[in-house]
């Protein structure tokens, strides 16, 4: 059986994650890696036996011979790489979000549709066991019609101060708000009509990271659903989990209540702290990547093989970005704004 040749653009921590999953997939072969930092690209290539190394994404798109590409760069760099790969007829998985400006979103869609390539954005919450179980209950109708939701998805300070060297060029809205809003669109099976967001800044700036600390956002959906979305990255580093994930979805005959961060399945306690180990997001079972954040990437290859539609469609990816752009605009003017699709 021939394998799908996949190239990776972005040789950082999550680029290595993609490489591990493709190496594990029986239908995938990592054919090339590209990063503007040559040493990072070479290190990833050596680690996974990747023969082709590039530092220019345009040369990579034209010469690598890849059938598909994983774009695993900082969010603000997605657009030009996507357009170049679309013009080279490459299918793509793009790490969230799809785009960070309306102009980028529109030119990316134009290139994708013109070249008839397939694109999926990695909103991996759609593979999370508790969220999938809740969505199945909503879709079955057993808990009635959707009414309202609350979604808290926060990170500890270590993420913007240490994990992400480019946090000052991004926002928690792009880093975690994209997962939040996509999950809410998915649960409501609806598009956001209007948003009102407020933000708070100062703590991270005092620590040398020039980005907003947190956002509180109200979402009105087109068919009447309402939601509150909280996204911040200033939780204490001593929190038992990097993420703070609380989700409540109220329907006319019942509700879904999820706590995916402070779960009681397993705790590890030492003389200095208590840790809640990750057992569903990015975990390994018998040396194989099995967490739901890995399953979403694995499914990209699966859908290329079987030809079925991606679980996250291009429309999902684009409309989530357009709604989030409006969230950021609303927070700046402190007024409700309608989403322009």
């Amino acid at each position: 059986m021939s394998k799908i040749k996949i190239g990776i653009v972005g040789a950082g921590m999550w680029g290595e994650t993609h490489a591990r999953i493709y190496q594990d997939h029986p239908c995938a072969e990592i054919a090339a890696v590209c990063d503007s930092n040559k040493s990072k690209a070479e290190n990833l290539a050596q680690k996974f036996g990747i023969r082709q190394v590039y530092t220019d994404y345009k040369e990579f798109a034209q010469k690598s011979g890849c059938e598909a590409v994983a774009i695993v760069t900082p969010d603000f760099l997605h657009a030009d790489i996507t357009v170049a790969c679309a013009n080279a007829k490459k299918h793509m998985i793009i790490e969230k979000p799809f785009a960070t400006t309306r102009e980028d979103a529109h030119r990316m869609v134009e290139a994708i549709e013109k070249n008839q390539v397939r694109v999926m954005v990695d909103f991996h919450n759609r593979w999370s066991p508790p969220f999938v179980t809740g969505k199945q209950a909503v879709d079955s109708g057993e808990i009635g019609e959707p009414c309202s939701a609350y979604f808290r998805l926060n990170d500890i300070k270590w993420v913007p101060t240490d994990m992400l060297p480019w946090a000052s060029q991004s926002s928690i809205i792009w880093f975690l708000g994209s997962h939040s809003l996509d999950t809410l669109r998915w649960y409501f099976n609806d598009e956001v009509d209007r948003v009102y967001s407020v933000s708070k800044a100062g703590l991270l700036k005092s620590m040398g990271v020039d980005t907003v600390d947190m956002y509180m956002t109200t979402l009105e959906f087109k068919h009447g659903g309402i939601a509150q979305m909280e996204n911040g990255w200033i939780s204490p580093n001593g929190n038992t989990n990097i993420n703070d994930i609380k989700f409540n979805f109220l329907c006319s005959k019942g509700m879904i209540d999820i706590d995916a961060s402070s779960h009681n399945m397993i705790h590890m306690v030492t003389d200095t702290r208590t840790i809640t180990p990750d057992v569903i997001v990015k975990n390994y079972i018998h040396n194989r990547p099995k967490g739901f954040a890995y399953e979403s990437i694995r499914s990209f290859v699966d859908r290329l093989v079987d030809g079925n539609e991606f679980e996250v469609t291009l429309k999902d990816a684009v409309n989530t970005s357009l709604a989030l752009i409006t969230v950021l605009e609303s927070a700046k003017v402190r007024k409700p704004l309608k989403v322009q699709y």
Side-chain angles (χ1 to χ4, degrees):
M1 179 179 65
S2 62
K3 296 185 177 184
I4 296 171
K5 293 181 179 180
I6 299 178
I8 299 170
V9 183
M13 176 187 68
W14 206 243
E16 182 171 333
T17 295
H18 276 257
R20 290 190 184 280
I21 295 164
Y22 302 141
Q23 186 182 61
D24 181 71
H25 201 295
C27 297
E29 174 189 340
I30 314 169
V33 60
C34 177
D35 197 290
S36 58
N37 185 320
K38 187 176 181 180
S39 63
K40 287 174 64 176
E42 288 176 338
N43 288 339
L44 190 68
Q46 183 177 13
K47 196 167 190 176
F48 291 92
I50 305 170
R51 294 183 179 181
Q52 297 184 68
V53 175
Y54 296 88
T55 57
D56 185 299
Y57 67 85
K58 294 178 181 177
E59 182 183 11
F60 160 87
Q62 293 298 324
K63 296 182 179 180
S64 66
C66 295
E67 301 163 75
V69 175
I71 298 177
V72 201
T73 65
D75 44 45
F76 50 88
L77 298 176
H78 290 173
D80 289 342
I81 301 168
T82 297
V83 170
C85 290
N87 288 337
K89 311 293 185 183
K90 313 297 183 187
H91 304 303
M92 286 168 274
I93 179 170
I94 305 171
E95 278 303 326
K96 51 77 189 171
F98 179 70
T100 58
T101 71
R102 289 188 183 87
E103 295 75 17
D104 281 349
H106 293 318
R107 67 190 179 96
M108 290 162 73
V109 170
E110 182 180 6
I112 290 164
E113 293 181 342
K114 176 184 176 182
N115 291 284
Q116 297 182 324
V117 294
R118 303 183 64 194
V119 172
M120 171 186 154
V121 169
D122 185 17
F123 289 130
H124 49 239
N125 220 34
R126 294 192 183 215
W127 283 261
S128 170
F131 281 93
V132 170
T133 300
K135 181 63 162 62
Q136 290 168 347
V138 173
D139 289 348
S140 73
E142 64 180 291
I143 59 174
E145 294 297 316
C147 297
S148 67
Y150 169 75
F151 198 173
R152 176 179 181 174
L153 181 53
N154 295 335
D155 268 341
I156 62 174
K157 298 185 191 81
W158 172 82
V159 172
T161 60
D162 293 84
M163 188 181 102
L164 298 180
W166 42 270
S168 291
Q169 297 169 270
S170 186
S171 165
I172 190 60
I173 286 296
W174 295 124
F175 194 66
L176 290 185
S178 54
H179 286 304
S180 304
L181 200 141
D182 176 73
T183 302
L184 290 165
R185 287 180 59 258
W186 180 45
Y187 261 69
F188 279 106
N189 193 27
D190 198 6
E191 300 294 352
V192 180
D193 181 54
R194 192 168 70 145
V195 307
Y196 176 49
S197 186
V198 293
S199 63
K200 185 178 186 306
L203 180 57
L204 288 173
K205 289 182 180 181
S206 73
M207 300 172 70
V209 184
D210 189 13
T211 189
V212 172
D213 295 339
M214 66 180 303
Y215 292 81
M216 295 287 285
T217 305
T218 300
L219 307 170
E220 294 180 85
F221 286 82
K222 291 187 175 181
H223 291 97
I226 56 174
Q228 190 71 22
M229 189 174 82
E230 175 185 339
N231 300 115
W233 42 10
I234 56 170
S235 296
N237 286 337
N239 198 37
T240 64
N241 197 308
I242 290 176
N243 305 121
D244 184 7
I245 309 170
K246 308 291 190 300
F247 181 80
N248 179 276
F249 197 77
L250 179 65
C251 294
S252 58
K253 297 179 182 179
M255 72 178 184
I256 303 297
D257 202 24
I258 297 173
D259 181 347
S261 51
S262 302
H263 59 75
N264 289 315
M265 290 188 286
I266 179 173
H267 296 295
M268 293 173 57
V269 183
T270 71
D271 288 332
T272 56
R273 71 174 296 197
T274 298
I275 300 170
T276 304
D278 172 18
V279 294
I280 62 171
V281 184
K282 297 181 293 181
N283 56 311
Y284 280 73
I285 298 176
H286 306 309
N287 296 318
R288 295 191 64 196
K290 288 294 185 180
F292 73 77
Y294 300 152
E295 292 304 318
S296 59
I297 299 170
R298 186 178 283 113
S299 78
F300 170 68
V301 182
D302 293 340
R303 298 295 79 80
L304 289 181
V305 172
D306 63 28
N308 292 331
E309 186 175 52
F310 293 129
E311 280 76 5
V312 178
T313 66
L314 181 59
K315 180 181 178 181
D316 290 326
V318 175
N319 286 358
T320 295
S321 279
L322 294 176
L324 290 172
I325 290 165
T326 311
V327 168
L328 291 169
E329 292 171 341
S330 173
K332 286 183 178 179
V333 299
R334 304 234 167 196
K335 294 179 181 179
L337 296 176
K338 286 184 71 69
V339 181
Q340 302 299 317
Y341 292 105

